[in-house]
Amino acid sequence: MQKLIPNRTNLFMEMEEYARENRVPIMELEGIEAMLQIVRIQQPTKILEIGTAIGYSALRMAEACPSAHIVTLERDQERYEKAENYFARSGMGDQITLIKGDALEQEDEVRLLGDYDMIFIDAAKGQYKKFFEIYSQYLNDAGVIITDNVLFKGLVYEKAEIEKKRIRNLVQKIDQFNQWLMENDRYHTVILPIGDGVAISRKK
């Protein structure tokens, strides 16, 4: 599937290489292509992204939907500064509002910039349920929430065999989030086994 994915721009390829070399978690190619297709179909006016990292997915969404404005949050100073640099170089910086801070503490600022047609969650995996609960209230009625890494390299299936306690606890939290999300009676949710696992939730 990766071989079938068209080449990205030079800037995106540079960002992918930087992420590989510096172990920055960005969305896997198959997963982001699926998400971008949803963006193209949905044509959101405003997107909220929880977890900027170096700005890769924000810029990919901005390119896929030039009419969209993206509000994105990042708490790590080094990644925040790297994202700022990439946004400036991309020529799409006007489409993006970058907020510095922990997503668990930035609700007031995010609320002032909303409501949102799409929310993309790709930050601290142990906090997925809190992120969803805090920010889903600012999602428009026809809105979609996309959550990455919900299969976490397949470990949600193999959690009983994980030796490291920290990883085992994290995987357990992701598994609990998946079950909670699938049972949430306010959303239709499907989990796609592509990339690192992508959940797509739409308001009922």
Side-chain angles (χ1 to χ4, degrees):
M1 287 178 65
Q2 285 196 9
K3 290 180 180 178
L4 292 172
I5 295 172
N7 286 334
R8 280 72 64 207
T9 65
N10 289 338
L11 180 63
F12 291 148
M13 300 284 275
E14 177 188 326
M15 295 176 77
E16 291 165 15
E17 184 63 24
Y18 177 89
R20 277 191 296 270
E21 291 178 353
N22 294 275
R23 303 186 71 178
V24 177
I26 63 173
M27 203 171 184
E28 294 187 15
L29 284 177
E30 300 98 321
I32 200 164
E33 288 297 327
M35 182 182 73
L36 294 176
Q37 190 72 339
I38 294 168
V39 170
R40 296 182 190 105
I41 294 168
Q42 189 82 357
Q43 288 292 305
T45 300
K46 189 168 287 186
I47 301 170
L48 172 63
E49 178 183 52
I50 311 298
T52 312
I54 59 172
Y56 179 75
S57 51
L59 285 174
R60 294 295 308 271
M61 289 188 287
E63 181 191 53
C65 188
S67 61
H69 189 86
I70 297 129
V71 176
T72 182
L73 298 96
E74 178 56 48
R75 67 181 183 181
D76 182 85
Q77 182 64 34
E78 183 177 353
R79 291 177 182 176
Y80 174 91
E81 291 174 359
K82 198 71 179 174
E84 272 191 320
N85 178 264
Y86 282 129
F87 292 162
R89 291 174 55 194
S90 70
M92 294 181 282
D94 289 346
Q95 279 181 256
I96 302 169
T97 298
L98 176 59
I99 299 173
K100 172 71 169 65
D102 191 316
L104 295 176
E105 302 170 355
Q106 299 298 320
E107 181 181 355
D108 288 346
E109 189 166 358
V110 168
R111 181 180 67 247
L112 290 174
L113 296 168
D115 290 336
Y116 301 91
D117 305 303
M118 181 175 289
I119 298 174
F120 174 45
I121 302 174
D122 189 17
K125 297 165 188 57
Q127 304 293 345
Y128 273 6
K129 185 170 181 283
K130 288 184 180 179
F131 294 148
F132 198 105
E133 289 175 329
I134 291 170
Y135 292 109
S136 59
Q137 62 184 310
Y138 306 116
L139 185 70
N140 289 327
D141 287 342
V144 171
I145 300 178
I146 299 174
T147 312
D148 192 27
N149 307 118
V150 296
L151 297 182
F152 199 48
K153 308 181 191 308
L155 293 178
V156 291
Y157 176 74
E158 302 171 350
K159 56 182 178 294
E161 303 172 15
I162 301 170
E163 293 183 3
K164 292 184 179 180
K165 184 178 179 180
R166 183 182 67 83
I167 300 297
R168 190 166 63 248
N169 289 341
L170 178 57
V171 169
Q172 185 177 20
K173 285 185 177 181
I174 296 171
D175 188 35
Q176 290 170 349
F177 168 75
N178 290 344
Q179 292 180 44
W180 172 82
L181 185 57
M182 295 299 291
E183 293 168 2
N184 192 316
D185 60 8
R186 297 184 60 205
Y187 291 85
H188 294 292
T189 296
V190 62
I191 293 177
L192 304 181
I194 57 173
D196 201 25
V198 179
I200 303 168
S201 305
R202 191 180 190 279
K203 276 190 174 182
K204 290 185 177 180

